[in-house]
Amino acid sequence: MQKRIRMFFGGVILSVGMLATTPMVNAAEMQVNGEKDIELAYENVSVCTSKLSIVGREATCKSLVKAKKSKQIRVIMKLQKHLNGEWKTLKEWSGSTTGTTYSLNKNYVVETGTYRVRTTFKVGTETIIKNSNSVKR
């Protein structure tokens, strides 16, 4: 009986120890197009977006990042076209700053096809990749 009690408490202590040392990732539930989606809560980033709109032949690419506190920020934004089942990069822009907000906005003339913007945000030690919705022209 005493052996079982020791084994039980040993298992409890081991379980608590494993929980205490396991890194936690925070997530927030949000609605996207009427469907629930899970978005990670980042350590350094409060907001990051990657957007694309096309009017006529002009694609407008926009990427925005907001840090929770002043950090080194680097943004690499790529305009990509869907060709033969793959996303091919047509144009790439980048920029950086130290601060809490950075926005990168560029225009590019496009032909008929399906496009997206793929942005890599580097804020402090954190790297996040966001894709815009795909847009047909």
Side-chain angles (χ1 to χ4, degrees), residues 35-54:
E35 296 179 15
K36 289 185 180 179
D37 195 10
I38 302 295
E39 184 171 290
L40 295 176
Y42 300 106
E43 181 180 332
N44 297 323
V45 176
S46 60
V47 173
C48 60
T49 60
S50 185
K51 296 183 179 183
L52 172 64
S53 63
I54 299 175

Side-chain angles (χ1 to χ4, degrees), residues 106-122:
K106 297 291 181 178
N107 295 325
Y108 193 79
V109 175
V110 295
E111 301 298 325
T112 302
T114 302
Y115 298 87
R116 75 175 182 187
V117 171
R118 182 174 180 91
T119 308
T120 302
F121 301 94
K122 295 181 181 182

Side-chain angles (χ1 to χ4, degrees), residues 76-101:
I76 302 166
M77 181 172 68
K78 298 176 182 179
L79 176 63
Q80 297 182 322
K81 184 175 184 178
H82 197 256
L83 292 169
N84 302 320
E86 295 181 3
W87 289 100
K88 304 287 185 183
T89 299
L90 300 177
K91 186 70 178 171
E92 181 177 310
W93 303 274
S94 63
S96 63
T97 191
T98 298
T100 57
T101 303

